[in-house]
Amino acid sequence: MIHKIKPSSRRALVPKILVSRDCGPAGCEIDWLSSRQIEADDDPEALIELSLAQGWGDGLPLVAPTSGRVRAFLAANDRYPDELIARMPDESECTVEKIVINAVMAGAPAESLELIIAAIQAIAEPDFELYGLNATTAPVYPAFVVNGPVRERLKIPYSYGCAGGVATRAVAISRAIRLIMRNVAGQKPGVSSQTTFGSPGRVTGLLLGEWEEKSPWAPLAERRAGVRGDAVTSFGTMGTMNILDTTSIGAHAFFEMIGKSVAYPGANCFSPSMEYSEMMIGINPIWAELIAKEVPRIEDVQELIWRQASVPGDWLEPLHRGQVEAQGRIREDGRIYVTPEPKDIILFVCGGLGGLHALGLHSFGSCLTQTKPIAKAVAAGQVEAAE
C-alpha cells in the first residue's frame, strides 16, 4: 500500500490585517521588552566571541541587539513584542520580541518582520514536523519560496543567482530565521540535533522568490493554498541540486532529464525510513516557456516529470529492495517513484534567462510543505472608517 500525503487540515488562509500600535523607538509607558539584558563590549569581534560563548551566535558577525535597535525595529511595525507567534517543538514560546532580537542580530530590515513571522508560522505547523527536522541526522533545513509584491519591496531574488550569490538583504532575512531556529527552537548540532554533516543552509538558510511574471502558470502560493498576493511557502530540503541540459529543445526531453536526475537511491525519497516524500523543482523561465507551449497544464507537467522520476526495483540489491517492497512502494510496473503521487512534485519558476538549468530541492520526507499569507498593516483610522 502506498502511503499518500494527506495534510491534517485544510483551513482557509487569509492575510491578517494589522492595526498600527507601536509606541515609537523610546518605548511605551510600560516597558514591553522582557528579555534578559546583558552588558557587552561594543567591539564587533568581542560580540562574536560573546555570542559563541553564550550559545546564541552562528559564527558570523552580528549586529548587537541593543534595546534601542529592538525598539526601533518594533516601532517600524505593528506588533506587540509579547505577542505569541508560535510554540516550538520543545514548547518554548516564539514571541515577536524574540523574533525581532534575532532579526536585528542577523541584520534583517525592519520591513521584513511580517515575512519572517509568516515563515515561522509555516514551519511551526504540525504537518511541517519541525521536531524531526531539528533533531535528525540529516542536513535538512527549511527553504522558503516567496510570492507577491513583497518580493520587490524586500528585494527577494528570483532571477539570476536566486538560490545564492546575489547581494541582497534577503540573505539576512533567511539568516534571521535560522537564528530563531537555533535560539528559540533550540537546534544545536551535537546537542538537540544529530545532523551528521550539516549544510551551509543550516547557517544562512534559503529564501528566494518565484518569478511570477515569467511563469506560464499561476503562482505557487495560489496553486497550493489559494493565497493570492504576498505569501511564503516552506519546504524541508536536504539541499540544492543543479540539473543541466544544454541540448534539449522540447518539453519531454526536459522532463526526462529532470525526472531521472532527481531519482537517485540515496535520496530520502527512496529511504525505507520515510514512507512518503515531496520533491520541489525550480524551472528556469526559458524552459518554462518552452514546456508550456507543449504541455499547458501544470498538473500534466507534474505527472510527466513524476513518471520519469523513478528507479527500477530490481536495480537495488535484495536488502534494500525487500525493505521498500515491504512498504508496498514497488508499483505494478516494477518501479519505485520519488513521491507517492504527481501532485507531490512541487514546481515553481525562478532563475536567470540563460536557460540550461533546473533547481532540484529534495525533501526530508516527513516535513510537509506549508504556505502562509503574509500579513499587511493598515492604519487604525482606516479600520474605524470601515466599521
Side-chain angles (χ1 to χ4, degrees):
M1 176 182 177
I2 302 298
H3 290 261
K4 296 183 177 180
I5 296 176
K6 297 179 179 179
S8 61
S9 61
R10 288 288 187 185
R11 294 170 295 185
L13 298 176
V14 295
K16 180 177 179 180
I17 301 298
L18 304 175
V19 179
S20 180
R21 53 192 179 186
D22 66 79
C23 303
C28 309
E29 289 185 14
I30 299 176
D31 189 359
W32 289 98
L33 300 183
S34 60
S35 297
R36 179 175 62 92
Q37 297 190 27
I38 59 175
E39 291 186 7
D41 194 319
D42 62 0
D43 176 69
E45 291 189 9
L47 181 61
I48 295 173
E49 293 302 323
L50 175 64
S51 72
L52 295 176
Q54 294 283 327
W56 39 262
D58 58 7
L60 295 175
L62 299 165
V63 177
T66 62
S67 59
R69 289 192 177 111
V70 171
R71 292 187 196 282
F73 198 111
L74 285 165
N77 288 281
D78 302 280
R79 298 272 190 174
Y80 289 126
D82 63 346
E83 183 179 352
L84 178 63
I85 297 302
R87 291 190 184 278
M88 298 290 98
D90 62 356
E91 292 301 312
S92 59
E93 296 184 342
C94 186
T95 63
V96 169
E97 180 176 348
K98 291 179 180 178
I99 289 172
V100 170
I101 290 170
N102 284 279
V104 169
M105 287 197 296
E111 300 78 21
S112 66
L113 179 60
E114 290 306 325
L115 170 55
I116 297 173
I117 285 175
I120 295 300
Q121 290 173 329
I123 65 175
E125 282 288 337
D127 278 349
F128 193 77
E129 224 267 286
L130 183 58
Y131 175 81
L133 181 147
N134 274 354
T136 181
T137 57
V140 59
Y141 59 92
F144 299 97
V145 179
V146 180
N147 285 110
V150 70
R151 293 169 302 146
E152 302 296 343
R153 295 198 301 272
L154 294 177
K155 294 181 171 52
I156 307 297
Y158 51 76
S159 180
Y160 296 94
C162 56
V166 179
T168 167
R169 293 184 77 182
V171 178
I173 298 172
S174 58
R175 184 192 178 198
I177 298 169
R178 292 299 311 156
L179 285 174
I180 293 164
M181 292 185 66
R182 172 185 293 273
N183 297 326
V184 185
Q187 185 187 79
K188 297 184 179 180
V191 181
S192 58
S193 170
Q194 299 304 308
T195 182
T196 305
F197 297 114
S199 164
R202 282 199 163 206
V203 180
T204 58
L206 178 59
L207 177 74
L208 70 163
E210 179 171 23
W211 199 342
E212 301 172 14
E213 297 77 9
K214 290 287 186 182
S215 175
W217 307 293
L220 177 65
E222 184 177 338
R223 285 187 277 117
R224 287 196 58 82
V227 180
R228 295 185 178 185
D230 294 342
V232 61
T233 297
S234 63
F235 178 85
T237 185
M238 304 291 277
T240 62
M241 166 193 252
N242 183 63
I243 303 165
L244 172 69
D245 187 349
T246 61
T247 57
S248 297
I249 57 174
H252 293 274
F254 293 142
F255 298 154
E256 178 186 16
M257 191 58 64
I258 293 172
K260 289 182 177 178
S261 295
V262 301
Y264 69 92
N268 271 34
C269 306
F270 296 102
S271 171
S273 65
M274 296 292 177
E275 295 186 77
Y276 50 78
S277 63
E278 298 172 308
M279 183 74 216
M280 180 175 272
I281 298 169
I283 299 177
N284 75 72
I286 304 300
W287 280 14
E289 182 181 0
L290 293 172
I291 287 170
K293 288 178 180 178
E294 291 185 53
V295 187
R297 295 180 68 250
I298 196 165
E299 295 83 0
D300 295 332
V301 176
Q302 289 172 294
E303 181 169 357
L304 289 165
I305 292 176
W306 180 80
R307 292 195 177 281
Q308 293 284 355
S310 64
V311 298
D314 60 9
W315 194 26
L316 303 177
E317 294 295 327
L319 172 64
H320 295 120
R321 183 171 66 249
Q323 291 172 337
V324 294
E325 192 171 21
Q327 295 178 327
R329 292 174 58 189
I330 299 182
R331 309 293 177 107
E332 291 182 0
D333 60 5
R335 303 187 72 84
I336 308 164
Y337 286 79
V338 72
T339 66
E341 299 177 88
K343 71 173 179 60
D344 306 318
I345 301 288
I346 301 167
L347 305 177
F348 70 108
V349 175
C350 64
L353 299 178
L356 311 180
H357 302 271
L359 174 68
L361 298 169
H362 284 88
S363 80
F364 171 54
S366 60
C367 297
L368 300 186
T369 302
Q370 304 293 315
T371 298
K372 293 289 184 181
I374 298 172
K376 298 178 181 179
V378 297
Q382 289 179 275
V383 175
E384 293 168 2
E387 294 175 346

